[in-house]
Amino acid sequence: MGSERVGDEGAFISAVYGGNLTGYTVPMALTDAQLAEIDAARAETRPTLRATVPALEEILHVPLPVLDHGFVRVIDYMGDDAAVVQAARVSYGRGTRKVSEDRGLINYLMRHRHTTPFEMCEIKFHVKLPVFVARQWIRHRTANVNEYSARYSVLDREFYIPAPEHLAAQSAVNRQGRGAVLAGEEAAHVLALLRDDATRSYDHYLEMLNETESGERRDPTRDGLARELARMNLTVNVYTQWYWKTDLHNLLHFLSLRADPHAQYEIRVYADAMAEALRRWVPMVHEAFLDYRMGAAMLSAKMLAVVRRMLAGETVGQAESGLGAREWRELMAVLDRA
Amino acid sequence: MGSERVGDEGAFISAVYGGNLTGYTVPMALTDAQLAEIDAARAETRPTLRATVPALEEILHVPLPVLDHGFVRVIDYMGDDAAVVQAARVSYGRGTRKVSEDRGLINYLMRHRHTTPFEMCEIKFHVKLPVFVARQWIRHRTANVNEYSARYSVLDREFYIPAPEHLAAQSAVNRQGRGAVLAGEEAAHVLALLRDDATRSYDHYLEMLNETESGERRDPTRDGLARELARMNLTVNVYTQWYWKTDLHNLLHFLSLRADPHAQYEIRVYADAMAEALRRWVPMVHEAFLDYRMGAAMLSAKMLAVVRRMLAGETVGQAESGLGAREWRELMAVLDRA
Amino acid sequence: MGSERVGDEGAFISAVYGGNLTGYTVPMALTDAQLAEIDAARAETRPTLRATVPALEEILHVPLPVLDHGFVRVIDYMGDDAAVVQAARVSYGRGTRKVSEDRGLINYLMRHRHTTPFEMCEIKFHVKLPVFVARQWIRHRTANVNEYSARYSVLDREFYIPAPEHLAAQSAVNRQGRGAVLAGEEAAHVLALLRDDATRSYDHYLEMLNETESGERRDPTRDGLARELARMNLTVNVYTQWYWKTDLHNLLHFLSLRADPHAQYEIRVYADAMAEALRRWVPMVHEAFLDYRMGAAMLSAKMLAVVRRMLAGETVGQAESGLGAREWRELMAVLDRA
Amino acid sequence: MGSERVGDEGAFISAVYGGNLTGYTVPMALTDAQLAEIDAARAETRPTLRATVPALEEILHVPLPVLDHGFVRVIDYMGDDAAVVQAARVSYGRGTRKVSEDRGLINYLMRHRHTTPFEMCEIKFHVKLPVFVARQWIRHRTANVNEYSARYSVLDREFYIPAPEHLAAQSAVNRQGRGAVLAGEEAAHVLALLRDDATRSYDHYLEMLNETESGERRDPTRDGLARELARMNLTVNVYTQWYWKTDLHNLLHFLSLRADPHAQYEIRVYADAMAEALRRWVPMVHEAFLDYRMGAAMLSAKMLAVVRRMLAGETVGQAESGLGAREWRELMAVLDRA
């Protein structure tokens, strides 16, 4: 990918790839064929009568790097902020003549969970991600997926090894959380185990397939184990890739769960990259999403009763609150009184 | 919509609207505001890096007339034939280096019901349709819908009255089918009943709403019945409208059921209009769909056994076939031996 | 249905049907054949190794009357409170050895929107409802439905006419809401219009079908209009019926939207009847649902900021709140400061 | 599980477990706690007014062994053959008075792909399966799933090692198929690699977790790596488990794809075990499924044209058929003329 193309893609790509696009150092996940495909896809525009979003077109097809070998790239989209408004207005019909402007309507829809207008926009991503992240991700069922098939093809030698600052110990208080970062010899030992086991498993995978790294047959006298069997020797940090397409409503749902601090770090970084695409694509929806979803909190009937008593001047402790210890802590955290 | 614009839209619009676009006689279903919206939407193109389909752009936003007041118009789309191929190839990865060309791959996917690559394309329609048609249509759950709300707004005075040639008697042999066309006085009487009842119900709807045709209040001293209640007086041939968005796989499923001769005529004509959009959008998929879905037949194990015996030269009648009378007739129909 | 059976069904049925089951006065919606079917279904129990819920078995198959001719009846179910807990524990595996008791776990799942364990329970209803209610209901797509087909069969002469106390005027402030109840001559006039139009439309429906009330052919020399066409003359307050099956998670979602004060009264009463079934079926889930869903409120980031300032002793008005007028009113309502 | 209970469970369990239930040798996948849970679940029946299926109750909760450590067991169900019929009849209403008996109706529904009545039955399985099988399985989105969480809990030391007779070479003609079985040293070498790598990866998993086999902490001075990270070292043949619940229509769809010879052997054996449950649960549906789905073939328009020409006495070869080489082979295979 020549530096000639940098200018076309604008400041964003420089920011992502450090201005040094030749060689495209970051996403080593991309093959030359894929880079050429991206180049071709971005080489010329075509005219359309559909809604377009220039800020998203700027990064269309361009991989946003995630983790050590992964990426997210938007490869297609349908609709924009206005398409949400338009769909809401077909529902409200004549009645909306007086409804105030678009931003207010989008905020209203988000606040009152009128979700169907958000389903009118669609986005398609190409994602490279470790198998154990894919296993969490796929639980979101309202999406369309085409994944690289290891029954059919041979996987690349790429597996996720955490950066030292993400090598966290098990949390002592949260069974699905992380504690302090490991350090020193312990960290080095863990990294060595991860790297050695993944490497050895991959070496043996190729050996069982009777294939060389470049896809040649090693021993011409035999066939090698079936791909669909050999793959079972790979560790779940091996990278896979897929096309993943969803509507805006379901994307917001995905992000609200996966861009959340309770999500595992390794999927959260994917959600973060997708949130950047969201911001470019539908800025009004993005803003409403931050206010009414990501930054919002659901207060139960009992929690609301506590807040009302507090606002009435009463001093309420957990004992008088009717809340369990855990719920009380959650409420105090929401109210910044932790 | 001025005649200046006709040239831009090409031969298709002339064909649909008889070359006399000024005044737009056919789809009386469209208000001036909607016509202006269509004009605006078609007024200028924007550049995009996404896949575009010129044959579909030609009719983008333009209503294809259906029934007496209805229409279907494509208002957005994502992907094309190549997007299906691209998704299939991410699944097959390196392995597809030798797979033959695109058409063969699409045929293969269709034949073997590999449906996920077809989910990678998406299309959005704006549809005006009678309520009883909407009730059948909505049973297809894997779609996104925003319908005009009669809780919120007042419906227009538009209801479906069949053309005389579609005024069919109940079939004597098929409980959900049509028999001969009614004629003479009987037909005239039916049409008069349909028209009178729909008109009277609508008149009373406005009366209960305390509204004039143009949306003014009739009697300024009272509020009128709530819209959400008054609507219950309308007959199910009243027209509603919605945005309906689905992926290509589910569109094909919809068309295979609704463009079928067993579907009710009044929904089949919508399916036919959408099939025309399909043909423009993804011509290779459309052709494969005709061959492997619309023109295909599923033969049961017992039916296949009969065919094999026939091919072996045996003369097989229903009695020796192991099939029930109805299945036998269905098989003979498929084999053109009815 | 003989009074001998009353004792078997317990106090609930007495409460619903006033202790006078013979003749089953309330749900005139039921035919004798349906009553006999219910009798047969309740006549004897069978042994099972599945989870059973006696409180729900008490009303199994029994129609709970809704509106003037409608009903809801539970006809099958799968799972109970313990099935939710069991599913959550398979997720948490060994780790849950120390997790506290079932109620706490269910509350936790509900509070943190861990929805999949609730999907492990399933319920099936038989519902009789007006078409305009069915049209709202069917928008919930994650359910299984089999509806009475008016293409295939003839609908009964039953339409919804609101009780006088539900004959509300259009709200002046909320476009999809109700205002004061109509009274006097205006109310009488509206009721007469609704009754007359529905009756006339139904009369003409039968006339076009060439059928008598009892299903005989009127004029033996002709076939009558096809059922799929004749039905288009019916008003949307005609009753239809369906089987509707969903999982517990989606039932809760349905109830949270349809048992809500913003829902139209005519669907809310169905939701209320289903909520009664919910209470009997999964009492712990029902209680958690009331606290964390029905009685809860989602506060946006900006709303939370206002609450925090108030709790810190600041006097905040709308002007200083950063909230729009509408949001401010919504917040004050939640905080009981309206 | 004492031999006293064998009599209660009937001949099936004897057949599965060789009559030697004490010790339950086959599914070593089950812990003592799980065996006790099964015993408890089968210890006594409860009365219900719901439909019950004695042939399915016979094996309810009992694990059917699959692969070397896996199993499938039915843990709940809703409905039976009659529930399908009942749902179809609500759709057809009065009109079905004359429709012939249940079997004929079920066959008709299956043949004409009237799928909604099949959605009225539901079944819930508990499954233990290798991760790479789970990855294929989860692509069926219309199901409810709760999977054991390796973020939260520690996985057991169990991984799938193929039996020697399933250690197949890559097919030379089908990129996702298997060829001849490996033999001799090559087979032994592959098995050793699979076993060694899985074992070593699991050993290191525990080491990184700082846990012993029995769940004790090894080095009391440190926390061990977070579970959500340590798991990434496991190979995809490690076993996981889940609850999987779906409706009958979607179960048939799953089985039609996964009990098919083109499916990978390791998922096909799960489908086979589920098909056995299907046969016990809904015998009429099962039979119709074999005839109209598993044993059926979809013939394209062009294929049908060829069959008609052959039946008319014409000798047709590929050259004159209009079919590609691959389609021609597929057609010949269906017609047993390969």
Side-chain angles (χ1 to χ4, degrees):
Chain A
M1 185 176 273
S3 54
E4 304 77 53
R5 238 163 44 66
V6 178
D8 303 326
E9 290 160 356
F12 173 81
I13 294 182
S14 300
V16 172
Y17 297 109
N20 178 18
L21 272 174
T22 324
Y24 237 93
T25 59
V26 178
M28 55 272 276
L30 293 177
T31 62
D32 284 348
Q34 286 174 320
L35 285 173
E37 195 188 311
I38 294 168
D39 270 340
R42 292 191 57 85
E44 52 171 334
T45 62
R46 284 161 294 277
T48 186
L49 289 165
R50 293 172 290 169
T52 58
V53 182
L56 188 58
E57 296 268 346
E58 260 180 41
I59 60 162
L60 207 67
H61 307 297
V62 178
L64 314 184
V66 183
L67 298 180
D68 50 355
H69 299 283
F71 60 78
V72 165
R73 62 186 190 110
V74 180
I75 56 173
D76 210 342
Y77 69 94
M78 172 196 276
D80 56 5
D81 276 332
V84 176
V85 168
Q86 183 189 37
R89 292 211 163 123
V90 91
S91 295
Y92 299 154
R94 284 192 204 169
T96 45
R97 273 175 299 198
K98 286 166 248 147
V99 165
S100 55
E101 37 60 71
D102 294 0
R103 184 179 300 275
L105 179 53
I106 284 175
N107 286 347
Y108 177 85
L109 296 171
M110 188 76 76
R111 202 159 77 244
H112 291 275
R113 303 210 161 232
H114 291 199
T115 57
T116 56
F118 297 104
E119 295 177 16
M120 286 290 141
C121 296
E122 192 86 11
I123 193 161
K124 183 162 52 167
F125 295 99
H126 179 196
V127 187
K128 185 148 194 172
L129 72 177
V131 163
F132 73 93
V133 173
R135 296 239 300 138
Q136 293 188 337
W137 193 312
I138 200 74
R139 297 305 322 282
H140 295 262
R141 288 160 292 183
T142 42
N144 311 113
V145 190
N146 278 274
E147 184 175 354
Y148 188 93
S149 166
R151 278 189 82 190
Y152 199 91
S153 300
V154 178
L155 282 168
D156 291 325
R157 181 192 286 280
E158 283 171 331
F159 16 83
Y160 168 62
I161 304 294
E165 65 269 28
H166 296 125
L167 212 62
Q170 176 64 34
S171 164
V173 296
N174 178 350
R175 292 193 62 91
Q176 48 186 342
R178 294 186 183 186
V181 172
L182 300 188
E185 272 186 40
E186 189 179 357
H189 182 59
V190 161
L191 286 177
L193 288 178
L194 288 173
R195 195 169 285 119
D196 290 356
D197 286 353
T199 303
R200 185 186 303 102
S201 289
Y202 190 84
D203 287 343
H204 291 160
Y205 166 64
L206 287 186
E207 185 178 338
M208 290 189 284
L209 288 174
N210 190 30
E211 281 206 15
T212 66
E213 205 81 25
S214 58
E216 307 302 309
R217 191 177 281 207
R218 292 181 178 197
D219 173 349
T221 69
R222 56 189 184 89
D223 285 330
L225 188 63
R227 288 187 191 97
E228 67 181 27
L229 287 172
R231 62 162 161 175
M232 87 172 74
N233 204 55
L234 295 171
T235 47
V236 294
N237 57 351
V238 72
Y239 274 88
T240 183
Q241 53 182 300
W242 62 31
Y243 283 0
W244 191 77
K245 169 173 157 288
T246 197
D247 64 59
L248 176 52
H249 164 61
N250 282 292
L251 177 63
L252 297 181
H253 187 67
F254 179 92
L255 294 180
S256 73
L257 292 173
R258 303 303 182 180
D260 185 273
H262 292 95
Q264 179 164 352
Y265 168 77
E266 280 78 16
I267 196 167
R268 208 163 64 228
V269 285
Y270 284 90
D272 290 345
M274 294 157 86
E276 162 63 15
L278 178 74
R279 190 186 61 76
R280 289 174 164 269
W281 180 27
V282 282
M284 287 184 194
V285 170
H286 178 254
E287 206 173 298
F289 175 66
L290 293 183
D291 191 9
Y292 301 106
R293 209 63 63 83
M294 292 308 286
M298 177 74 99
L299 300 193
S300 71
K302 285 187 189 131
M303 287 174 170
L304 287 171
V306 169
V307 171
R308 289 184 200 118
R309 287 164 64 192
M310 286 174 159
L311 287 174
E314 195 179 334
T315 302
V316 188
Q318 191 223 317
E320 311 87 56
S321 71
L323 301 176
R326 186 162 193 165
E327 279 188 81
W328 176 259
R329 282 197 310 275
E330 291 174 10
L331 177 59
M332 290 305 104
V334 165
L335 301 177
D336 274 351
R337 315 197 126 209
Chain B
M1 185 175 273
S3 54
E4 303 77 56
R5 242 162 42 65
V6 178
D8 303 328
E9 291 159 355
F12 174 80
I13 294 183
S14 299
V16 171
Y17 297 109
N20 179 18
L21 272 171
T22 324
Y24 236 93
T25 60
V26 178
M28 54 273 276
L30 294 175
T31 63
D32 285 350
Q34 287 174 319
L35 284 174
E37 196 188 308
I38 293 168
D39 271 340
R42 292 191 58 86
E44 53 171 332
T45 62
R46 284 160 294 276
T48 186
L49 289 164
R50 294 173 289 170
T52 58
V53 181
L56 188 59
E57 297 268 345
E58 260 179 41
I59 60 162
L60 207 67
H61 307 299
V62 178
L64 313 184
V66 184
L67 297 181
D68 51 354
H69 299 282
F71 61 77
V72 165
R73 62 188 189 109
V74 179
I75 56 174
D76 211 343
Y77 68 94
M78 171 196 275
D80 56 5
D81 276 330
V84 176
V85 169
Q86 183 188 38
R89 294 217 160 116
V90 91
S91 295
Y92 298 153
R94 284 191 205 169
T96 46
R97 273 174 300 195
K98 285 167 249 149
V99 165
S100 54
E101 36 62 69
D102 292 2
R103 184 179 300 274
L105 179 53
I106 284 177
N107 286 348
Y108 177 86
L109 297 171
M110 188 75 76
R111 203 159 73 243
H112 291 274
R113 302 209 163 235
H114 291 199
T115 58
T116 55
F118 298 103
E119 295 178 16
M120 286 290 141
C121 297
E122 192 88 10
I123 193 161
K124 182 161 52 166
F125 295 99
H126 179 197
V127 187
K128 185 149 193 171
L129 72 176
V131 162
F132 72 94
V133 173
R135 295 238 299 137
Q136 293 187 338
W137 191 313
I138 199 75
R139 296 306 321 283
H140 295 263
R141 287 159 293 183
T142 41
N144 312 113
V145 189
N146 278 273
E147 184 175 355
Y148 188 93
S149 167
R151 276 189 83 188
Y152 199 91
S153 299
V154 178
L155 282 168
D156 291 325
R157 181 194 287 280
E158 281 171 332
F159 16 82
Y160 168 62
I161 305 294
E165 64 270 29
H166 296 124
L167 213 62
Q170 175 63 33
S171 164
V173 296
N174 178 347
R175 293 193 65 90
Q176 47 186 342
R178 295 187 182 186
V181 173
L182 300 188
E185 271 186 41
E186 190 179 357
H189 183 56
V190 162
L191 287 176
L193 289 178
L194 289 172
R195 196 169 284 120
D196 288 356
D197 286 354
T199 304
R200 184 187 303 102
S201 290
Y202 190 84
D203 286 343
H204 291 159
Y205 167 65
L206 286 186
E207 185 178 336
M208 291 188 284
L209 288 173
N210 190 30
E211 280 207 15
T212 65
E213 206 80 24
S214 59
E216 306 302 308
R217 190 178 282 205
R218 292 179 177 198
D219 172 350
T221 68
R222 58 190 183 88
D223 284 329
L225 187 64
R227 286 186 194 97
E228 66 181 27
L229 288 172
R231 62 160 162 179
M232 87 172 74
N233 204 53
L234 296 171
T235 47
V236 295
N237 57 350
V238 72
Y239 275 87
T240 183
Q241 53 181 300
W242 62 32
Y243 283 1
W244 191 77
K245 168 174 157 286
T246 196
D247 64 58
L248 176 53
H249 163 63
N250 281 292
L251 176 63
L252 297 181
H253 186 67
F254 179 91
L255 294 181
S256 73
L257 292 173
R258 303 304 182 178
D260 184 275
H262 293 95
Q264 180 164 353
Y265 167 78
E266 281 76 16
I267 196 167
R268 206 163 65 228
V269 286
Y270 284 90
D272 290 344
M274 293 157 87
E276 162 64 15
L278 178 74
R279 189 186 63 75
R280 289 174 163 270
W281 180 27
V282 282
M284 287 185 197
V285 170
H286 178 254
E287 206 174 299
F289 175 65
L290 293 184
D291 190 10
Y292 300 107
R293 209 61 65 84
M294 292 307 286
M298 177 73 99
L299 299 194
S300 70
K302 284 185 191 134
M303 287 175 171
L304 287 171
V306 169
V307 171
R308 287 185 202 116
R309 286 163 65 192
M310 286 174 161
L311 287 174
E314 195 178 335
T315 302
V316 188
Q318 192 221 319
E320 310 87 54
S321 71
L323 300 177
R326 187 164 193 161
E327 278 186 81
W328 176 260
R329 281 198 309 275
E330 290 175 11
L331 178 59
M332 290 305 103
V334 164
L335 301 178
D336 273 353
R337 318 198 123 207
Chain C
M1 183 175 274
S3 54
E4 304 76 52
R5 238 162 45 65
V6 178
D8 303 327
E9 291 160 354
F12 173 79
I13 294 182
S14 299
V16 171
Y17 296 108
N20 179 17
L21 272 174
T22 323
Y24 236 93
T25 60
V26 178
M28 54 272 278
L30 293 176
T31 62
D32 285 348
Q34 286 174 320
L35 285 174
E37 195 189 310
I38 294 169
D39 271 340
R42 291 192 58 85
E44 52 171 333
T45 61
R46 284 162 293 276
T48 186
L49 288 165
R50 293 172 291 170
T52 58
V53 181
L56 189 58
E57 296 268 346
E58 260 180 42
I59 60 161
L60 207 67
H61 307 298
V62 178
L64 313 183
V66 184
L67 297 179
D68 50 355
H69 299 283
F71 61 76
V72 166
R73 61 187 190 110
V74 179
I75 56 173
D76 211 342
Y77 68 95
M78 174 197 274
D80 56 4
D81 276 331
V84 176
V85 169
Q86 183 189 38
R89 292 212 164 123
V90 90
S91 295
Y92 298 153
R94 283 193 206 169
T96 45
R97 273 174 300 196
K98 285 167 246 148
V99 165
S100 53
E101 37 61 69
D102 293 0
R103 185 179 299 276
L105 179 53
I106 285 176
N107 286 347
Y108 177 86
L109 296 171
M110 188 75 78
R111 202 160 75 244
H112 290 275
R113 302 209 162 234
H114 290 199
T115 58
T116 55
F118 297 104
E119 296 178 14
M120 287 289 140
C121 296
E122 192 88 11
I123 194 162
K124 182 161 54 166
F125 295 99
H126 179 197
V127 187
K128 185 148 195 172
L129 72 176
V131 162
F132 74 93
V133 173
R135 295 240 298 139
Q136 293 187 338
W137 192 314
I138 200 74
R139 297 304 322 282
H140 295 262
R141 288 160 292 184
T142 42
N144 310 113
V145 189
N146 278 274
E147 185 177 354
Y148 188 93
S149 166
R151 276 189 84 190
Y152 199 92
S153 299
V154 178
L155 282 168
D156 291 325
R157 180 192 288 282
E158 283 171 331
F159 16 82
Y160 168 63
I161 304 294
E165 65 269 28
H166 296 124
L167 212 62
Q170 176 64 33
S171 165
V173 296
N174 178 349
R175 293 193 62 90
Q176 46 186 341
R178 295 186 181 185
V181 172
L182 300 189
E185 271 185 42
E186 189 178 358
H189 183 57
V190 161
L191 286 176
L193 288 178
L194 289 171
R195 196 168 286 120
D196 290 355
D197 286 354
T199 303
R200 184 186 305 101
S201 290
Y202 190 84
D203 287 342
H204 291 160
Y205 167 64
L206 286 186
E207 185 179 336
M208 291 189 283
L209 287 174
N210 190 31
E211 280 206 15
T212 65
E213 205 80 25
S214 57
E216 306 303 308
R217 192 178 281 206
R218 292 179 178 199
D219 173 350
T221 68
R222 58 189 184 87
D223 284 330
L225 187 64
R227 289 188 191 95
E228 67 181 28
L229 287 172
R231 64 161 162 178
M232 87 172 73
N233 204 54
L234 296 171
T235 47
V236 294
N237 55 353
V238 73
Y239 275 87
T240 182
Q241 53 182 300
W242 63 30
Y243 284 0
W244 191 77
K245 168 173 156 288
T246 196
D247 65 58
L248 177 53
H249 163 62
N250 281 292
L251 176 64
L252 297 180
H253 187 66
F254 179 92
L255 295 180
S256 73
L257 292 173
R258 302 304 181 179
D260 185 273
H262 292 95
Q264 180 164 352
Y265 167 77
E266 281 77 17
I267 196 167
R268 207 162 66 229
V269 285
Y270 284 90
D272 290 345
M274 293 157 86
E276 162 64 13
L278 178 74
R279 189 186 61 75
R280 287 174 166 270
W281 179 28
V282 281
M284 287 185 196
V285 169
H286 178 253
E287 206 174 299
F289 175 66
L290 294 183
D291 191 9
Y292 300 107
R293 208 61 65 82
M294 292 307 286
M298 176 74 99
L299 299 194
S300 71
K302 285 186 190 132
M303 287 174 170
L304 287 172
V306 169
V307 171
R308 288 185 201 115
R309 286 162 66 191
M310 286 174 159
L311 287 174
E314 195 178 334
T315 302
V316 188
Q318 190 222 318
E320 311 87 55
S321 69
L323 300 176
R326 186 161 193 164
E327 278 187 80
W328 177 258
R329 281 198 310 274
E330 290 174 9
L331 178 60
M332 290 304 104
V334 165
L335 301 178
D336 274 351
R337 317 196 125 209
Chain D
M1 184 176 273
S3 55
E4 302 78 54
R5 239 163 43 66
V6 178
D8 302 328
E9 290 160 356
F12 174 80
I13 293 182
S14 299
V16 171
Y17 296 110
N20 179 17
L21 273 172
T22 325
Y24 236 92
T25 59
V26 178
M28 55 272 276
L30 294 175
T31 62
D32 285 348
Q34 286 173 320
L35 284 174
E37 197 187 309
I38 293 169
D39 271 340
R42 291 191 58 85
E44 52 171 333
T45 62
R46 284 161 294 276
T48 186
L49 288 166
R50 294 172 289 170
T52 58
V53 182
L56 189 58
E57 296 270 345
E58 260 181 41
I59 61 163
L60 206 68
H61 308 298
V62 178
L64 313 184
V66 184
L67 298 179
D68 51 353
H69 299 284
F71 61 77
V72 166
R73 62 187 189 111
V74 179
I75 56 173
D76 211 342
Y77 69 94
M78 171 196 277
D80 56 5
D81 276 330
V84 176
V85 169
Q86 183 189 39
R89 295 216 159 117
V90 92
S91 295
Y92 298 154
R94 284 192 206 169
T96 46
R97 273 175 299 195
K98 284 167 249 147
V99 166
S100 53
E101 35 63 71
D102 292 1
R103 185 179 299 274
L105 179 54
I106 285 175
N107 286 349
Y108 178 85
L109 296 171
M110 188 74 77
R111 201 159 76 244
H112 291 274
R113 302 209 162 233
H114 291 200
T115 57
T116 56
F118 298 104
E119 295 178 17
M120 286 291 141
C121 296
E122 192 87 10
I123 194 162
K124 182 161 53 166
F125 295 100
H126 179 197
V127 188
K128 185 149 193 171
L129 71 178
V131 163
F132 72 93
V133 173
R135 295 240 299 138
Q136 293 187 337
W137 192 314
I138 199 75
R139 297 304 322 283
H140 295 263
R141 288 159 293 183
T142 41
N144 311 112
V145 189
N146 277 273
E147 185 176 353
Y148 188 94
S149 167
R151 279 189 80 189
Y152 200 91
S153 299
V154 178
L155 281 168
D156 292 325
R157 180 193 289 278
E158 282 170 331
F159 15 83
Y160 168 62
I161 305 295
E165 65 269 29
H166 297 123
L167 212 62
Q170 176 64 31
S171 164
V173 295
N174 177 350
R175 293 193 63 91
Q176 45 187 342
R178 295 188 181 184
V181 173
L182 300 188
E185 270 187 41
E186 189 179 359
H189 183 57
V190 162
L191 287 176
L193 288 179
L194 288 173
R195 196 168 285 121
D196 289 356
D197 285 354
T199 303
R200 186 187 303 102
S201 289
Y202 190 84
D203 287 342
H204 291 160
Y205 167 65
L206 286 185
E207 184 179 338
M208 290 189 283
L209 287 174
N210 190 29
E211 282 206 14
T212 65
E213 205 82 23
S214 57
E216 306 301 308
R217 190 177 283 207
R218 292 179 179 201
D219 173 348
T221 68
R222 59 190 183 88
D223 284 330
L225 187 63
R227 288 186 191 97
E228 65 180 29
L229 287 171
R231 60 159 163 179
M232 84 172 75
N233 205 54
L234 295 170
T235 46
V236 294
N237 56 352
V238 73
Y239 274 88
T240 182
Q241 53 182 299
W242 62 31
Y243 284 0
W244 191 77
K245 169 173 157 288
T246 196
D247 64 59
L248 176 53
H249 164 61
N250 282 293
L251 176 63
L252 296 181
H253 186 66
F254 179 92
L255 294 181
S256 73
L257 293 173
R258 303 303 181 180
D260 185 273
H262 293 95
Q264 179 164 353
Y265 168 78
E266 281 76 17
I267 196 167
R268 208 163 64 229
V269 285
Y270 284 91
D272 289 345
M274 293 158 87
E276 162 64 13
L278 177 74
R279 190 185 62 76
R280 288 174 164 270
W281 180 27
V282 281
M284 288 185 196
V285 170
H286 178 254
E287 205 174 300
F289 175 66
L290 294 183
D291 190 10
Y292 301 105
R293 210 63 63 83
M294 291 308 286
M298 177 74 99
L299 300 194
S300 71
K302 284 184 190 135
M303 287 175 171
L304 287 172
V306 169
V307 171
R308 288 185 202 117
R309 286 164 64 191
M310 286 175 159
L311 286 175
E314 196 179 334
T315 301
V316 188
Q318 192 221 317
E320 311 88 54
S321 70
L323 300 176
R326 186 162 194 165
E327 278 186 81
W328 176 259
R329 281 198 310 274
E330 291 175 10
L331 177 60
M332 290 305 103
V334 164
L335 301 178
D336 273 352
R337 318 197 124 209

